Amino acid sequence: PRLLSQFFFADERVARVVAEINGLDAELDPQQYLVLLNQLHLSQAHLLAVLERIMDECIPTQRHSRDYLVKFPEELLVDNLGNHMLFAAECLLAGTFLEMEESDGAQLRPQARNLLCSLELVRTVLREQSLSQPNSYPEPVRAVLIQFDRLFAEFELSYVSSLVAVKSPDEIYRQQEIIVLFCETVERALHLGYLTQEMIDGYEPLLMFTIPRLAIISGLLIYPEGPLSLERSPEEMSRVFSPFYNLLKKIRDLLRVLSAEELCVLERSLCTAE
């Protein structure tokens, strides 16, 4: 159950797979080479997972901030992002620039080198600690972990920023505005009886359609200064809504001619129609 013991065996597995890869002629046995690469990927992912738990236990208040993750596209926020970063660093150090311009890769190589050197130091230090005192984390161990955590975060942000357009502070704020709009829409729908708390607590599938529909009406009529404000230019709106700017103007103009009773009928119909 001790994390340092788990790290020792996870590290042993990585070292064993690496040794097998180094002793294999990939051209003579490409099938086995692919098998070993997959094993390496899985064993490194397990090693990083154990290392994450060790850092959470050893340096919980000294972890480097990961607030920058909110800037990343949602499709990148996957469980194996850390393992992908490690693989990217290894490729950069080997001179392989995956998915990026060679000039960008050359700029990232020093960071990749520092990260991988730091990881090797962490592996060495933790292995020694696991064999001597597996129940404690002395200050030298903590210092090595703090440095690795910082270098990993800095490389992750730099690497992803070189591949994709990370969200600007303005775009993040616009997304937060949408979250607030949806929350206020749900509160209003509960107050008017369009939805029930039981539907929300039970994750009623229909809500996936109902809440966005009601939010559009709320954003255009009830909270016109919010994220659906058509007083802004399309460029100033969130990318979620900006492609539909002209359509939203037409919807707003139609909604404005409805009476309160007609609006209520419309909203209730949106809660049931598929």
Side-chain angles (χ1 to χ4, degrees):
R2 292 177 298 194
L3 288 177
L4 282 175
S5 297
Q6 293 179 32
F7 183 86
F8 177 86
F9 289 107
D11 187 73
E12 282 278 285
R13 184 182 178 191
V14 171
R16 185 169 61 250
V17 176
V18 169
E20 290 185 50
I21 291 176
N22 290 338
L24 181 71
D25 189 328
E27 294 183 358
L28 294 178
D29 196 348
Q31 186 71 24
Q32 180 62 15
Y33 181 72
L34 293 177
V35 170
L36 290 175
L37 278 183
N38 184 60
Q39 291 180 7
L40 179 61
H41 175 80
L42 295 175
S43 60
Q44 284 181 331
H46 178 59
L47 180 71
L48 288 178
V50 176
L51 182 55
E52 275 290 320
R53 293 168 60 196
I54 288 176
M55 290 190 290
D56 286 340
E57 179 179 90
C58 179
I59 53 171
T61 61
Q62 297 167 290
R63 297 294 305 269
H64 195 281
S65 173
R66 296 304 198 276
D67 290 346
Y68 59 81
L69 290 174
V70 73
K71 298 182 178 182
F72 291 1
E74 283 74 11
E75 60 269 19
L76 290 183
L77 300 178
V78 294
D79 292 338
N80 63 344
L81 179 59
N83 201 39
H84 182 74
M85 291 299 104
L86 182 59
F87 177 70
E90 292 170 339
C91 289
L92 286 172
L93 198 59
T96 303
F97 307 109
L98 297 176
E99 306 171 323
M100 66 172 55
E101 298 293 332
E102 185 174 344
S103 58
D104 293 333
Q107 289 184 343
L108 285 174
R109 284 190 73 183
Q111 279 186 281
R113 181 183 296 106
N114 291 338
L115 173 60
L116 294 176
C117 289
S118 179
L119 177 58
E120 286 304 309
L121 181 58
V122 165
R123 291 176 64 183
T124 300
V125 169
L126 290 185
R127 281 175 64 90
E128 293 175 352
Q129 188 66 24
S130 68
L131 293 173
S132 58
Q133 294 177 302
N135 293 316
S136 65
Y137 300 102
E139 186 55 37
V141 172
R142 295 165 59 87
V144 167
L145 290 173
I146 291 171
Q147 180 189 48
F148 170 75
D149 190 44
R150 176 180 60 81
L151 291 174
F152 199 106
E154 291 175 352
F155 176 78
E156 185 173 55
L157 176 57
S158 298
Y159 182 79
V160 173
S161 298
S162 69
L163 292 180
V164 298
V166 297
K167 298 171 187 172
S168 67
D170 286 341
E171 181 63 20
I172 294 171
Y173 179 75
R174 293 177 193 133
Q175 287 190 338
Q176 292 172 337
E177 281 190 313
I178 295 173
I179 293 172
V180 172
L181 172 62
F182 273 54
C183 291
E184 291 177 336
T185 296
V186 170
E187 183 178 358
R188 176 173 174 270
L190 288 171
H191 177 72
L192 295 175
Y194 297 155
L195 307 176
T196 65
Q197 190 63 47
E198 290 73 19
M199 295 172 66
I200 297 174
D201 294 340
Y203 300 101
E204 174 63 43
L206 185 60
L207 296 180
M208 295 178 61
F209 303 96
T210 298
I211 294 176
R213 290 167 175 170
L214 294 177
I216 290 175
I217 294 179
S218 295
L220 293 174
L221 290 185
I222 313 301
Y223 310 108
E225 304 301 320
L228 284 181
S229 172
L230 297 179
E231 300 304 316
R232 308 176 181 180
S233 66
E235 294 75 19
E236 294 175 314
M237 297 179 70
S238 168
R239 286 180 288 181
V240 174
F241 295 116
S242 58
F244 309 104
Y245 184 82
N246 292 329
L247 177 60
L248 289 171
K249 289 184 68 174
K250 293 178 181 179
I251 294 174
R252 182 196 60 182
D253 294 342
L254 290 172
L255 292 174
R256 282 178 171 175
V257 303
L258 298 178
S259 65
E261 293 78 11
E262 290 171 330
L263 180 62
C264 180
V265 171
L266 172 62
E267 290 186 304
R268 286 191 179 278
S269 67
L270 293 178
C271 295
T272 56
E274 296 182 1

